[in-house]
Amino acid sequence: MKKLIFALAALALVAWGCSSDDDDDNNTTQPSLLTAGSDERPSWPFVDFDKYEQNMYVEVQLQDTLLSYASDADLLCATMGGEVRGVAQPLSINGTMIFPLFIGSNEAGDYISLSYYCERLHRIFTKPEWTRFDPSMVPTGNDEIHQPIFVK
């Protein structure tokens, strides 16, 4: 009888520990989103900044969820209206991946989309309408502009 009570108590403890009530408001990563894909390394073209009147510089940090998959072969790309406006390779600074991203445009206020290619996962993650082009934006910071959420 004692074994049955102990088993029921252990089962109740395990069921309570696995409750999903605490996860409702959290941004948890679904394991299926981080499985390897089949995307080939993109050949995003070099940007000729002489074509643009204004430049914007932002240091984009890779979100913590993707940090363990990051490598020096990753790429970050900014597009506006489907046209590549900036491409960056990562720099590792104090265990954080930073992408020094220059973006060119002739129009302030247009939306920028951001794409991140992860070499280890062979996947491209996209953040549509990431932010608006603003050449006066502070290059570094601690907000979603500087550390976009590609995977929730």
Side-chain angles (χ1 to χ4, degrees):
M1 182 71 171
K2 286 183 181 179
K3 288 182 183 178
L4 179 62
I5 292 172
F6 181 75
L8 289 174
L11 183 61
L13 183 62
V14 169
W16 177 70
C18 294
S19 172
S20 63
D21 291 343
D22 295 334
D23 295 336
D24 292 344
D25 293 328
N26 295 338
N27 288 335
T28 56
T29 301
Q30 300 298 320
S32 63
L33 292 176
L34 296 180
T35 56
S38 59
D39 294 331
E40 292 184 22
R41 182 179 175 82
S43 57
W44 289 317
F46 172 78
V47 177
D48 180 4
F49 288 100
D50 290 337
K51 293 176 24 179
Y52 303 108
E53 296 173 3
Q54 302 175 50
N55 292 317
M56 176 178 164
Y57 176 70
V58 181
E59 292 180 1
V60 178
Q61 285 186 357
L62 191 58
Q63 77 179 94
D64 294 340
T65 304
L66 293 168
L67 200 52
S68 63
Y69 300 97
S71 75
D72 292 337
D74 294 354
L75 290 172
L76 189 72
C77 176
T79 59
M80 295 173 71
E83 181 182 340
V84 173
R85 299 294 182 92
V87 177
Q89 293 180 310
L91 298 173
S92 180
I93 300 174
N94 298 328
T96 301
M97 296 299 270
I98 303 284
F99 291 85
L101 184 62
F102 284 93
I103 305 165
S105 181
N106 293 323
E107 295 289 328
D110 287 348
Y111 273 108
I112 302 168
S113 294
L114 204 58
S115 295
Y116 165 65
Y117 172 71
C118 180
E119 175 68 29
R120 288 191 177 143
L121 292 174
H122 298 284
R123 303 245 339 247
I124 297 174
F125 299 91
T126 302
K127 181 85 174 165
E129 296 187 354
W130 164 59
T131 192
R132 290 185 182 268
F133 183 84
D134 180 0
S136 65
M137 179 179 285
V138 178
T140 61
N142 293 321
D143 57 11
E144 196 172 327
I145 300 301
H146 297 90
Q147 190 173 27
I149 306 300
F150 290 104
V151 178
K152 290 188 181 189

